[in-house]
Amino acid sequence: MGSLADFQNEIYLNGLGDVLPELPTDLTALERAAEERMTPAAFGYVAGSAGTESTARANRDALERRRIVPRMLRDVAAPDLSVDLFGQTLSSPVLLGPIGVLTIVHPEGELAVARAAAALGVPMVLSSAASHPIEEVARANADGPRWFQLYWSKDREVAASFLARAKAAGYTALVVTLDTHTLGWRPRDLDQAYLPFLRSIGVANYFSDPEFQKAVGGPVDDSNRTAALLRWAANFGDPSLSWDDLPFLREHWDGPIVLKGIQHPDDARRAVDAGMDGVVVSNHGGRQVDGAIGSLDALPGVAEAVGDRTTVLFDSGIRTGSDVIKALSLGARAVLLARPYAYGLALAGEAGVRHVLRCLLADLEISMTLAGASRPSALTPALLTHP
Ligand SMILES: Cc1cc2nc3c(=O)[nH]c(=O)nc-3n(C[C@H](O)[C@H](O)[C@H](O)COP(=O)(O)O)c2cc1C
Ligand SMILES: O=C(O)C(=O)c1ccccc1
């Protein structure tokens, strides 16, 4: 396989034939481009965050405040960005984070994302709230790696059934999202009175589930659709969950389990003490608690508390190669990319997601070598200025 940075040469060479990239190569420019192509409600759903959106801004601020101090003469001629994660070797420290309801962005939704992820060998974390069922997305991403994200339903039979289905469809790792037992207060969506689920988007896994169907008296059709949607809404998340409930996950999943939405070092310690295999330091892209700490500001404390005992992953605000460098330098083993790939999907379907991944990975490899690091293991806090 060629270097990730070959994409840069390819772009310049295409220019000799007057062929320019169809999408911006600065991934922060995608949001504005996507806004022109999406309905206002769908764009608001993806771009929006909780409250005054101060947490979303804090995520970017935390990333921009820390600066890289590049080092010279370190022989970076043979970069290798691969990382080991739960016994799998990934060619780069990047995964596609879980995003539900992707058919509001593009009709092919998660299927297009799965094909793009497979083309680049990047793991896709499939959301419980996907617009296509677990099994169908697995077929679109047959070579994997495939990870599954659980929204832990109040309906324990449904939650257990999701885990069994994911296992049977060859998903290898489980991400359990803890920060969204209830949707955050999201003014953009409230002002448009827009919730995709009530329009039957993002419920594919539920409506196709035998346990869910049992609970609503059979397959969902026009006769029981409203009852099914109400049941979904009532049981989607469970605010009563506590640390005592974690054994349920082990009973129903024999692979690695990662808890997503961890911000406090004590919660990270509890996760490890409870036998979990990893944590994702994340504030859900600022979509849940307005006023929450910028995600990168939470990372050093978590890494210090549990970094030598568990796998720490990171998301919320990742837009560039340098952002990945900063997260890895502060203790993350890998990062989850989220909104930028949804914008790539909006703009050009599968090809748009591939474009986003190729840009991020080329930028990452180039920026790492220019900073004097040819391996993720060379990224340490010493590479960064203090906050
Ligand atoms: C439209 C949208 C839908 C999302 N759906 C899910 C989901 O189903 N499950 C989940 O764990 N996180 C979900 N997230 C959160 C992302 O996985 C991730 O934590 C967050 O977007 C990171 O912030 P960033 O996109 O600004 O980098 C969603 C985020 C967005 C923007
Ligand atoms: O919108 C979200 O942030 C989110 O995580 C979600 C929650 C429920 C269903 C789909 C996505």
Side-chain angles (χ1 to χ4, degrees), residues 203 207 212 216 220-221 224-234:
V203 293
F207 285 15
F212 186 88
V216 296
V220 180
D221 56 28
N224 61 355
R225 180 170 301 272
T226 304
L229 289 170
L230 292 177
R231 184 171 186 98
W232 179 88

Side-chain angles (χ1 to χ4, degrees), residues 265 268-269 272-273 276-279 299-312 330-333:
R269 279 189 200 96
V272 177
D273 292 345
M276 299 291 106
D277 301 283
V279 295
L299 178 59
V302 170
E304 196 186 341
V306 299
D308 55 351
R309 294 197 287 152
T310 198
T311 299
V312 178
L330 292 178
R333 180 83 63 83

Side-chain angles (χ1 to χ4, degrees), residues 98-100 127 149 151 177 260 284-285 287 315-317 319 338-339:
I99 297 189
S127 167
Q149 177 264 330
Y151 273 133
T177 302
K260 177 170 182 274
H284 214 97
R287 296 164 69 80
D315 82 19
S316 297
R319 301 290 180 269
R339 283 184 177 105

Side-chain angles (χ1 to χ4, degrees), residues 176-374:
V176 180
T177 302
L178 302 178
D179 58 16
T180 309
H181 51 74
T182 306
L183 280 188
W185 180 256
R186 300 179 182 174
R188 292 204 215 196
D189 303 336
L190 292 163
D191 290 349
Q192 307 244 16
Y194 180 72
L195 197 58
F197 324 104
L198 294 184
R199 296 154 201 249
S200 299
I201 301 168
V203 293
N205 284 326
Y206 299 82
F207 285 15
S208 63
D209 193 88
E211 292 298 329
F212 186 88
Q213 292 183 358
K214 234 188 257 170
V216 296
V220 180
D221 56 28
D222 286 345
S223 69
N224 61 355
R225 180 170 301 272
T226 304
L229 289 170
L230 292 177
R231 184 171 186 98
W232 179 88
N235 290 352
F236 159 74
D238 185 352
S240 81
L241 284 169
S242 77
W243 293 97
D244 296 337
D245 292 305
L246 290 183
F248 170 90
L249 297 173
R250 271 284 166 241
E251 280 161 32
H252 295 278
W253 187 264
D254 59 10
I257 305 176
V258 180
L259 299 186
K260 177 170 182 274
I262 298 294
Q263 300 270 278
H264 197 291
D266 287 349
D267 284 353
R269 279 189 200 96
R270 287 198 79 156
V272 177
D273 292 345
M276 299 291 106
D277 301 283
V279 295
V280 186
V281 172
S282 167
N283 59 29
H284 214 97
R287 296 164 69 80
Q288 292 299 96
V289 179
D290 189 28
I293 182 172
S295 197
L296 194 77
D297 285 331
L299 178 59
V302 170
E304 196 186 341
V306 299
D308 55 351
R309 294 197 287 152
T310 198
T311 299
V312 178
L313 306 179
F314 174 85
D315 82 19
S316 297
I318 295 288
R319 301 290 180 269
T320 71
S322 291
D323 294 340
V324 182
I325 291 175
K326 291 171 186 176
L328 266 54
S329 296
L330 292 178
R333 180 83 63 83
V335 304
L336 277 54
L337 180 72
R339 283 184 177 105
Y341 85 76
Y343 298 137
L345 179 68
L347 289 162
E350 177 193 342
V353 181
R354 269 193 274 117
H355 169 88
V356 167
L357 277 172
R358 293 184 82 193
C359 285
L360 182 75
L361 296 177
D363 175 14
L364 173 60
E365 183 176 291
I366 290 166
S367 300
M368 272 179 62
T369 60
L370 289 173
S374 59

